[in-house]
Amino acid sequence: MEFLPYFIATGILSGLLAGLFGVGGGLTTVPILALILSAQGFPEAHVMQVAIGTSLAVIALTALSSTRAHHGHHAVVWKTVGMLVPGLVLGAVLGAWTAHGLSTVMLARIVGVGALAVALKMLLQADPRVRFQAPGRGLLTTAGTGIGWASALIGIGGGSLTVPFLRLCGYEMRQAVGTSAAAGIPIAWAGAVGFIWTGWQVPGLPAGQLGYISLPGFAAVAAASVLMAPVGARLAHRLPQLWLQRAFAALLIVIGCTMLLGIR
């Protein structure tokens, strides 16, 4: 119970960022949950898997709330979401399976390097040129598989990968964010199920676990994040697009450094 305020604060920040950037909040949720779990004396060998699995379970709810808000602003391209879904689901399941076989330190480094790489890409291409005119089902399925795999591996809703990809396909920033939020739904649900399955028979996990998902952490973070996601989505439609891109990159740099330096 002494850590409950930290879980709630994590949920508030996670939900706000989910709506604002379409990232599902996972890039913030995972490192903070990892630090909270470590402070609780959680088995070190499973800290990152539980942080990632719990983050995906939270995103499964947050993405619904965030998507509803973006849909109200006509910012979700549902046809694109539909073509991404098969690849996103397949990739998310593979990502959960991959994470199960990696160590906490390795997962933390992957999260950190991934966040810094995406930040650098967005800073160098603040307004990327269109490279894929009217992307077809094949490209979207392939991209969806890669996005789903990487997203489940590090516990995010895919926005850090989906948003730049959609920008390269010619989508303006608000449509990219809104569509990314909707694409986070299949990633989160498939990934969460994958982490429940791979963590189901793992020995040494304490009570209150559903596979690799912490039920107390999920309940506290999800309740706060679902309430805050619409607030972030409303802000996303009021702020300048270039400011959003640069703020997104700055967020990823902070997260990347946290994961590289904070987990040993």
Side-chain angles (χ1 to χ4, degrees), residues 2-259:
E2 64 179 301
F3 291 93
L4 183 60
Y6 297 102
F7 283 128
I8 294 174
T10 301
I12 292 173
L13 184 59
S14 171
L16 183 64
L17 295 174
L20 187 58
F21 297 120
V23 298
L27 283 170
T28 301
T29 305
V30 170
I32 295 178
L33 282 178
L35 294 174
I36 294 174
L37 290 170
S38 294
Q40 285 181 314
F42 199 89
E44 191 65 29
H46 307 302
V47 163
M48 285 302 298
Q49 283 87 349
V50 172
I52 292 171
T54 304
S55 172
L56 288 170
V58 171
I59 294 169
L61 297 182
T62 305
L64 293 172
S65 178
S66 178
T67 299
R68 182 175 180 274
H70 284 293
H71 176 71
H73 290 279
H74 308 287
V76 180
V77 184
W78 288 107
K79 181 179 179 181
T80 300
V81 174
M83 289 191 286
L84 283 168
V85 164
L88 294 173
V89 171
L90 173 62
V93 172
L94 292 175
W97 179 78
T98 303
H100 172 66
L102 297 177
S103 69
T104 285
V105 172
M106 182 58 69
L107 279 174
R109 288 175 178 170
I110 290 172
V111 172
V113 171
L116 292 175
V118 174
L120 179 62
K121 179 179 179 61
M122 295 200 75
L123 287 174
L124 294 177
Q125 297 181 335
D127 191 17
R129 297 178 180 179
V130 177
R131 294 184 182 177
F132 309 115
Q133 293 285 352
R137 186 176 298 275
L139 175 60
L140 290 172
T141 299
T142 302
T145 302
I147 290 169
W149 175 79
S151 299
L153 181 61
I154 59 179
I156 62 175
S160 57
L161 301 173
T162 309
V163 170
F165 171 71
L166 292 177
R167 290 288 286 154
L168 289 172
C169 291
Y171 292 76
E172 59 96 13
M173 186 61 178
R174 290 181 179 85
Q175 278 192 328
V177 170
T179 304
S180 170
I185 297 173
I187 292 174
W189 282 94
V193 170
F195 274 89
I196 292 172
W197 173 56
T198 55
W200 191 259
Q201 298 293 335
V202 172
L205 291 176
Q209 294 288 132
L210 185 62
Y212 280 131
I213 295 177
S214 166
L215 294 180
F218 163 73
V221 175
S225 63
V226 168
L227 292 175
M228 291 302 296
V231 177
R234 286 195 292 270
L235 287 174
H237 292 275
R238 296 177 181 176
L239 297 173
Q241 293 187 36
L242 184 57
W243 186 93
L244 277 177
Q245 292 176 7
R246 289 174 177 172
F248 188 16
L251 167 70
L252 293 178
I253 290 172
V254 173
I255 295 301
C257 291
T258 299
M259 296 310 294

